[in-house]
Amino acid sequence: MATTVFAPGEPIPDLQLALPKPRKSTAAKLGELFSAMISIAMLAAVVLEVRHLQFHDIFQLIPRKPLFWMVFVAYYMVGPASEWVIYRYLWRIPVSGLAALLRKLVSNELLLGYLGEVQFYAWARGRLNMVAAPFGAIKDVTILSALTGNIVTLVMLAGAWRLISSGAFGMEGRTTFLSLGVVLFTSFIILLFRQKLFTLPRRQLWIITAIHFARTLGFIGLSALLWHVVLPEVGIDLWLVLATLRMLVSRLPLVPNKDVIFAGLAVFILGRDTQVQNLMAMMAMLLPVSHIVVGTIFATLDLFASREGADA
């Protein structure tokens, strides 16, 4: 075997070894393809949503106060942020996981319910050094979110029963009882089969449930603060009552025209027809616009990332 000897002080040439690039697994390629398809579908949904929006009316209703936008961002982020806290506790996910949870939110809102969970599962599977089996944890978090929402709905129904029975909600008693029955039945099924449904240890399940309850209180408090910034002449206590009732109406199944019912309820309690209707109309348009903006940004970034990954 030949041996090369270099003289003292003679520079040693750089040796570059042509190592083969690691080949992506089939699962990783399928995950990237699925993410690209979701991004394309999200952009298509954005185009469809934009066609139905009246931007001139939206800009006229949106407040110019910086405090409004600060509270609105907090209101918009409370859901993804609470889930990030959960998965940070379970998996120690980095801050970049917040972007994946925002994608999950927009996918559920613009495309199809629970499609965001599938997309987030694909994101988690692509980081096996972070978590080996993410499906069970995502399933448990989703089920606990529904169960927590049902419990909060039942508590609010009991607290607002006098108002509901007075007819101020504009709902028939039969519809209310049917919705109550669905909430009770689904909660009973979850609790009955909890040992087979849940994967995580009991301690972790209780901590996740507590975070879901905190998120619910955050939604109510930030909703009330947001409306109070727009109409400061209405006391924050009344807005808290309305925010609670709004969450109650939104959580009841089998109730059509929920936005109409809540708008009528707000007018019934506050008596400010034009102002309240404008406020509710503004919020009803601002949230879809936010989903569209966030969805467009992430879908475009995902498509560029998938193309760069394909070229690499």
Side-chain angles (χ1 to χ4, degrees):
M1 183 177 67
T3 303
T4 303
V5 179
F6 296 99
E10 181 180 354
I12 300 175
D14 292 335
L15 299 178
Q16 295 183 353
L17 300 179
L19 298 177
K21 293 182 179 179
R23 304 181 70 177
K24 294 182 180 179
S25 64
T26 304
K29 292 180 180 178
L30 290 176
E32 291 179 357
L33 178 61
F34 175 77
S35 179
M37 291 174 61
I38 293 296
S39 300
I40 294 173
M42 192 179 297
L43 288 176
V46 164
V47 173
L48 293 176
E49 289 288 336
V50 167
R51 292 171 55 191
H52 302 290
L53 293 176
Q54 303 293 331
F55 287 100
H56 181 266
D57 297 337
I58 296 175
F59 289 137
Q60 282 187 331
L61 293 173
I62 292 177
R64 304 297 189 265
K65 302 176 182 177
L67 179 60
F68 172 84
W69 290 107
M70 294 171 59
V71 178
F72 179 79
V73 170
Y75 169 81
Y76 189 83
M77 292 295 297
V78 67
S82 63
E83 291 186 334
W84 182 84
V85 172
I86 291 174
Y87 291 113
R88 177 73 176 176
Y89 164 68
L90 294 176
W91 301 338
R92 309 302 297 175
I93 67 172
V95 178
S96 60
L98 188 59
L101 291 167
L102 275 170
R103 291 190 192 94
K104 181 173 83 70
L105 169 66
V106 176
S107 296
N108 287 338
E109 294 295 332
L110 292 184
L111 295 176
L112 184 66
Y114 296 109
L115 182 61
E117 274 71 16
V118 179
Q119 188 178 19
F120 183 67
Y121 170 77
W123 178 86
R125 286 290 297 176
R127 290 150 178 81
L128 294 180
N129 59 330
M130 182 193 311
V131 54
F135 176 77
I138 295 175
K139 170 182 61 68
D140 288 0
V141 172
T142 304
I143 294 175
L144 283 176
S145 177
L147 180 61
T148 304
N150 288 349
I151 294 174
V152 171
T153 301
L154 293 175
V155 172
M156 290 189 295
L157 267 174
W161 185 252
R162 181 176 298 181
L163 185 61
I164 295 173
S165 60
S166 68
F169 267 62
M171 295 186 302
E172 297 179 356
R174 181 173 177 271
T175 302
T176 305
F177 280 108
L178 284 175
S179 299
L180 179 60
V182 171
V183 172
L184 287 172
F185 178 75
T186 54
S187 302
F188 174 75
I189 292 297
I190 293 174
L191 293 174
L192 182 64
F193 296 100
R194 63 185 181 276
Q195 292 183 348
K196 296 182 178 180
L197 286 175
F198 294 118
T199 307
L200 297 172
R202 179 177 298 181
R203 181 175 181 274
Q204 291 184 342
L205 294 176
W206 278 113
I207 292 176
I208 294 170
T209 302
I211 295 174
H212 281 312
F213 274 116
R215 179 186 65 179
T216 301
L217 295 177
F219 268 125
I220 293 175
L222 289 171
S223 296
L225 181 58
L226 195 64
W227 298 338
H228 181 67
V229 171
V230 180
L231 294 177
E233 57 270 22
V234 178
I236 190 68
D237 52 344
L238 279 179
W239 286 127
L240 284 171
V241 172
L242 267 178
T244 305
L245 294 175
R246 182 195 183 192
M247 181 161 287
L248 170 59
V249 173
S250 66
R251 293 290 310 179
L252 285 177
L254 309 179
V255 176
N257 302 321
K258 296 179 182 180
D259 292 335
V260 176
I261 291 175
F262 176 70
L265 184 63
V267 172
F268 174 81
I269 293 177
L270 300 179
R272 298 169 179 267
D273 298 24
T274 303
Q275 291 178 314
V276 171
Q277 289 176 359
N278 289 341
L279 172 60
M280 298 307 157
M282 183 267 295
M283 290 302 301
M285 291 185 290
L286 190 56
L287 280 174
V289 170
S290 302
H291 295 323
I292 288 172
V293 172
V294 174
T296 302
I297 293 173
F298 282 121
T300 304
L301 292 176
D302 287 344
L303 287 177
F304 277 115
S306 62
R307 183 171 181 178
E308 290 177 359
D311 293 340

